[in-house]
Amino acid sequence: MSKPHTRKALLKAAAAALVVAALPSKAQSPASTAVSASVPGSAPASGSSASGAPCVLLFGQGRNFDAGQPAANRRWDEANSAFNLAVREPLAAAGLPVINVVLPVSATDVPRNLQGLLAEVQRRGCTRVLETAMFADSAQGLLIARLRVYPVFGMLGPQAAGSQPRIGGVAYTQQKEYALDARVMDRVNPSLLGRVMAEEALGALQPR
């Protein structure tokens, strides 16, 4: 079996090569940011590991909804789901309890999405949100893969009756950008990128 640092180096080299298509060949302009709703069967039974560590809510959604292009919307949903689930793998292997949550690109009601996210965070007892997103920014001519970590406040310690958790500011960001052209769109692999980026983000998610 290869050593962890060797495996990580191999993953990074493979990601730099970008292989396998899973995205529409014609990119759309990004939609507004949205947040939360769940993937059936992907979440563990509870929000804590055997050691009692609180969970990480792994939220994913794209930005490229176009009501006139259902096939393209479906491909963006598939890409974001693959990216999100791949990010889970290194986190779970490192012993972090992870709850996967993925929205379709058509879920553009931001206040409703945020309300759903907060409800899920509170139900599961998660203390961090890790947002995953793969989308096209046609204005900048970029394909973007991004991870963002947000702390959740109000989940640990005594809680006042009726109090609600709140999501804090971005604590960690990792973003990879590629030229938005047909060659890249035909070769990008959301699953590979997800695993590589999650490996790099582990340090920001490990309990301190």
Side-chain angles (χ1 to χ4, degrees):
M1 182 178 291
S2 62
K3 295 180 180 179
H5 68 273
T6 304
R7 177 174 175 271
K8 189 179 295 186
L10 289 172
L11 280 171
K12 287 183 179 180
L18 286 180
V19 285
V20 186
L23 297 174
S25 59
K26 184 177 181 181
Q28 308 301 316
S29 59
S32 56
T33 302
V35 205
S36 187
S38 139
V39 178
S42 64
S46 73
S48 298
S49 64
S51 65
C55 62
V56 176
L57 191 66
L58 185 56
F59 162 73
Q61 186 185 20
R63 306 284 187 273
N64 298 97
F65 176 64
D66 186 328
Q69 298 199 31
N73 294 335
R74 184 169 58 252
R75 289 193 292 272
W76 280 114
D77 285 341
E78 290 168 356
N80 274 281
S81 179
F83 184 56
N84 181 276
L85 292 174
V87 168
R88 176 193 178 94
E89 294 175 19
L91 307 187
L96 291 171
V98 183
I99 307 297
N100 286 80
V101 169
V102 181
L103 286 183
V105 294
S106 59
T108 58
D109 185 336
V110 177
R112 179 178 180 181
N113 295 341
L114 180 57
Q115 183 180 21
L117 174 60
L118 289 171
E120 190 71 5
V121 161
Q122 188 168 36
R123 186 170 76 90
R124 298 288 190 169
C126 298
T127 57
R128 285 161 296 175
V129 172
L130 173 54
E131 181 189 21
T132 70
M134 179 172 281
F135 59 97
D137 185 334
S138 58
Q140 297 187 68
L142 294 174
L143 172 66
I144 296 172
R146 185 169 67 205
L147 301 181
R148 282 180 175 168
V149 177
Y150 302 82
V152 178
F153 300 112
M155 293 304 299
L156 299 178
Q159 299 178 31
S163 64
Q164 298 292 319
R166 65 182 180 85
I167 297 173
V170 178
Y172 170 89
T173 298
Q174 182 188 161
Q175 183 163 302
K176 296 189 183 299
E177 300 175 350
Y178 305 95
L180 187 59
D181 59 37
R183 180 173 176 272
V184 169
M185 298 297 280
D186 285 343
R187 298 177 62 201
V188 70
N189 184 330
S191 295
L192 178 57
L193 278 173
R195 287 192 293 272
V196 171
M197 293 177 71
E199 291 270 8
E200 295 177 7
L202 269 174
L205 289 163
Q206 294 287 9
R208 287 175 170 81

